[in-house]
Amino acid sequence: MDVYYNAGFGCIVCPQTTVGNTPMRVVIEPVAVLRKGFTETALGEAILAALERSRTAPPVPRVDMGAGRFWQVTGIRGFGAFSGQFQCIDLRERGPILEAFKLIRESDGGYVWPENQPPLEIPADTPAAQMGAEILSLFSPGLEIPANETLSFETIHGGIISYRRPSDAFADCGDGHTDAYQVFTLEDAPRSHIAFLIDSGYQELSKAAVLEKWQEQYGPLSAFRFQRRRKPPMLASMQGKTAKAEIASQVYRDGEGTMEVLCLIEQALSPEAREAMRAEYQAVIRSIAVKERREGGSEGLVVK
């Protein structure tokens, strides 16, 4: 079973069972939700009840695997966004002992067991209040990633880009296994994304060069606009539309090269969702600051 914790929300206590005849485990719903201000006794009682449900629950068919969305009790739609906000403790029974592991969040939004870290061992007959206190001791207050926090990365040209993280509706995909510094995908429509790209990839920064590449990459464009910008470090902004998506992009000077911030919004999204994503992209653009590396190793701050 698992226990999820966020200092501003509280705890979610999740009993588990297996999938068919496999060792894979899934959460049994409904889960127990303990709101902020809960007591150690209440947490311990919820854990003991979840352990009992986990012991007696029958396996679920493989076809039901992945059907649950227990994290949505928090109001967060996607698991990647949820895991960025909640720490996780995994509890396993080993005879008369409970082994508690503090799991580690990966950049793709999943949790993994820590390497070379012994578990906290708790006797299974521990009273509820003490059980709750032991589990709470494993959580780190304030460790959750706040929504809309300021993030940063170093470019290949030695610059530092800082920006406002998109909201919890977006999953942090790291580099997305692409030639990108950072990619955020919309949880409910992963093809819609905001990406910070390594250089722009255009033969030259002109209307003709950008139009040619966009048509090659996205297909025929029903609309396209290119504007040069005279507000360093921004060099140009572009907008386009195809039958399947609308695309917006800003290109920034980055030392001897460029850095592009691109947004792709699927036309299949509802009008409200498209408008919300446009607003998210504009908020990211307004927040961008570029710290350029000067000769001699010193850095100067250029704010867009």
Side-chain angles (χ1 to χ4, degrees):
M1 61 158 290
D2 290 332
V3 181
Y4 297 89
Y5 173 76
N6 174 285
F9 177 88
C11 272
I12 305 172
V13 182
C14 302
Q16 294 179 330
T17 188
T18 55
V19 178
N21 295 321
T22 75
M24 292 185 294
R25 304 188 66 81
V26 293
V27 170
I28 307 167
E29 298 190 65
V31 296
V33 177
L34 304 177
R35 296 288 182 172
K36 179 181 178 181
F38 64 86
T39 64
E40 294 172 347
T41 299
L43 175 58
E45 290 174 346
I47 290 171
L48 293 172
L51 285 169
E52 183 60 27
R53 286 181 66 192
S54 298
R55 294 186 194 106
T56 59
V60 300
R62 184 179 291 270
V63 293
D64 292 341
M65 185 178 177
R69 296 287 186 272
F70 73 88
W71 60 89
Q72 292 185 354
V73 298
T74 66
I76 300 174
R77 292 174 295 178
F79 187 78
F82 167 80
S83 68
Q85 302 296 313
F86 281 76
Q87 302 171 62
C88 181
I89 301 295
D90 183 75
L91 280 166
R92 299 292 174 100
E93 284 192 290
R94 297 286 185 264
I97 297 296
L98 297 178
E99 295 181 343
F101 295 87
K102 174 72 175 295
L103 302 188
I104 299 171
R105 181 184 186 272
E106 291 193 306
S107 61
D108 64 0
Y111 296 95
V112 295
W113 282 25
E115 295 183 4
N116 303 318
Q117 178 181 315
L120 172 66
E121 295 188 345
I122 309 170
D125 60 356
T126 296
Q130 184 179 345
M131 177 74 71
E134 293 277 12
I135 296 303
L136 278 177
S137 72
L138 295 176
F139 290 115
S140 304
L143 191 63
E144 304 87 15
I145 302 173
N148 302 335
E149 67 172 332
T150 298
L151 302 177
S152 63
F153 59 85
E154 183 174 0
T155 72
I156 60 174
H157 299 288
I160 302 295
I161 309 296
S162 63
Y163 60 97
R164 164 196 176 277
R165 188 205 188 284
S167 73
D168 289 338
F170 291 81
D172 182 342
C173 298
D175 63 12
H177 306 294
T178 65
D179 291 332
Y181 294 113
Q182 179 66 55
V183 178
F184 294 96
T185 60
L186 193 62
E187 288 274 10
D188 292 342
R191 291 185 179 180
S192 297
H193 60 269
I194 297 172
F196 291 79
L197 306 178
I198 299 174
D199 280 314
S200 63
Y202 306 118
Q203 291 186 353
E204 61 180 16
L205 194 54
S206 68
K207 181 177 181 178
V210 174
L211 179 58
E212 180 181 359
K213 182 177 180 183
W214 280 24
Q215 287 179 325
E216 178 182 328
Q217 186 167 354
Y218 305 115
L221 294 166
S222 59
F224 179 76
R225 185 174 70 175
F226 176 94
Q227 289 181 293
R228 288 203 173 274
R229 298 292 186 178
R230 292 180 173 82
K231 188 178 181 181
M234 187 183 288
L235 299 175
S237 63
M238 297 86 78
Q239 292 178 324
K241 184 179 293 186
T242 72
K244 294 183 177 180
E246 58 183 82
I247 309 106
S249 172
Q250 316 279 341
V251 177
Y252 295 80
R253 170 65 62 195
D254 175 29
E256 296 301 316
T258 59
M259 187 274 298
E260 182 177 13
V261 186
L262 185 139
C263 175
L264 185 145
I265 305 173
E266 295 172 87
Q267 297 285 15
L269 295 176
S270 69
E272 295 79 12
R274 294 200 302 272
E275 183 59 35
M277 188 162 177
R278 291 186 200 108
E280 288 280 0
Y281 175 64
Q282 290 303 318
V284 170
I285 292 299
R286 289 194 297 270
S287 73
I288 289 175
V290 180
K291 186 180 288 187
E292 296 180 333
R293 188 174 299 280
R294 293 176 176 167
E295 292 184 7
S298 63
E299 297 174 336
L301 184 64
V302 182
V303 180
K304 194 244 170 242

